[in-house]
Amino acid sequence: MDYQENLQKARKRIEFADHITYITFPLIKENKLIIKILIEIQQALKSLITSILQYEYSYKRISIYRDTNLNFQTFIKLAEKYDINEKEINNIKEILFLAKKHEKSDFEFTKAGKFVMMVNSATFSVSLEKIKSYIYTTKNTLRKAESIITQKK
């Protein structure tokens, strides 16, 4: 898959997450949808980060590694070029962290409008408001990446 395809995949996933958040969730009011939305956002971000790395690699500006942590560090170094600010980077880290906690979660439940995960007796929660801020961050980051990747060289 090339960087254009990954960019398109990221766009579709974030549009789907947006639709669930702003159209489906208000109708159904099921807090379990919160984790589904978080996973869609995480998948959109993974495709977006992959697209940026592939784009930069295609112009021989970076190396791509088998280690995802090294690739993520490379992405963080590229953030300034793509005008991705520190707050957006922190939100991206938080999204990826929470998605990983969901994978390792021992127990999950909904409470007071939040989706709660328990991992080794520690609790992590995600609210709809937090999801909306994650969608905003992801859309904004996607827009910034698209403006560089899709411009004619």
Side-chain angles (χ1 to χ4, degrees), residues 107-151:
F107 184 67
E108 300 173 333
F109 58 94
T110 58
K111 181 179 180 181
K114 293 182 180 182
F115 187 86
V116 182
M117 301 167 275
M118 294 184 73
V119 181
N120 299 330
S121 71
T123 60
F124 305 92
S125 65
V126 186
S127 68
L128 186 63
E129 291 309 309
K130 203 68 172 149
I131 287 291
K132 289 177 180 179
S133 78
Y134 294 158
I135 287 174
Y136 176 79
T137 295
T138 306
K139 281 182 161 183
N140 203 30
T141 305
L142 178 65
R143 181 185 51 76
K144 291 173 182 179
E146 284 176 332
S147 71
I148 291 176
I149 291 173
T150 60
Q151 67 181 238

Side-chain angles (χ1 to χ4, degrees), residues 7-139:
L7 200 60
Q8 188 63 26
K9 189 175 169 185
R11 161 111 2 246
K12 285 182 180 179
R13 287 207 179 257
I14 198 59
E15 286 173 357
F16 182 61
D18 185 83
H19 180 82
I20 295 172
T21 303
Y22 291 99
I23 306 297
T24 307
F25 189 88
L27 292 172
I28 298 175
K29 293 182 173 61
E30 176 58 62
N31 288 327
K32 290 179 183 176
L33 282 175
I34 291 172
I35 197 65
K36 172 67 176 154
I37 300 165
L38 179 71
I39 298 306
E40 287 298 321
I41 296 168
Q42 177 222 23
Q43 292 301 317
L45 279 171
K46 281 184 172 184
S47 294
L48 176 58
I49 291 167
T50 300
S51 178
I52 290 170
L53 293 175
Q54 287 174 328
Y55 176 76
E56 294 295 328
Y57 179 78
S58 73
Y59 288 97
K60 309 283 189 244
R61 294 185 272 228
I62 64 162
S63 295
I64 294 181
Y65 308 98
R66 290 181 187 259
D67 183 353
T68 55
N69 291 327
L70 286 174
N71 287 334
F72 189 71
Q73 292 306 315
T74 303
F75 165 73
I76 290 172
K77 290 175 187 170
L78 291 168
E80 187 176 330
K81 175 182 178 178
Y82 286 83
D83 197 29
I84 301 168
N85 62 43
E86 192 173 330
K87 183 178 183 225
E88 290 167 327
I89 289 290
N90 288 334
N91 264 353
I92 291 168
K93 286 179 180 178
E94 192 174 319
I95 293 163
L96 298 174
F97 172 80
L98 287 170
K100 193 170 275 191
K101 290 300 176 189
H102 166 64
E103 291 172 11
K104 296 179 179 181
S105 178
D106 302 323
F107 184 67
E108 300 173 333
F109 58 94
T110 58
K111 181 179 180 181
K114 293 182 180 182
F115 187 86
V116 182
M117 301 167 275
M118 294 184 73
V119 181
N120 299 330
S121 71
T123 60
F124 305 92
S125 65
V126 186
S127 68
L128 186 63
E129 291 309 309
K130 203 68 172 149
I131 287 291
K132 289 177 180 179
S133 78
Y134 294 158
I135 287 174
Y136 176 79
T137 295
T138 306
K139 281 182 161 183

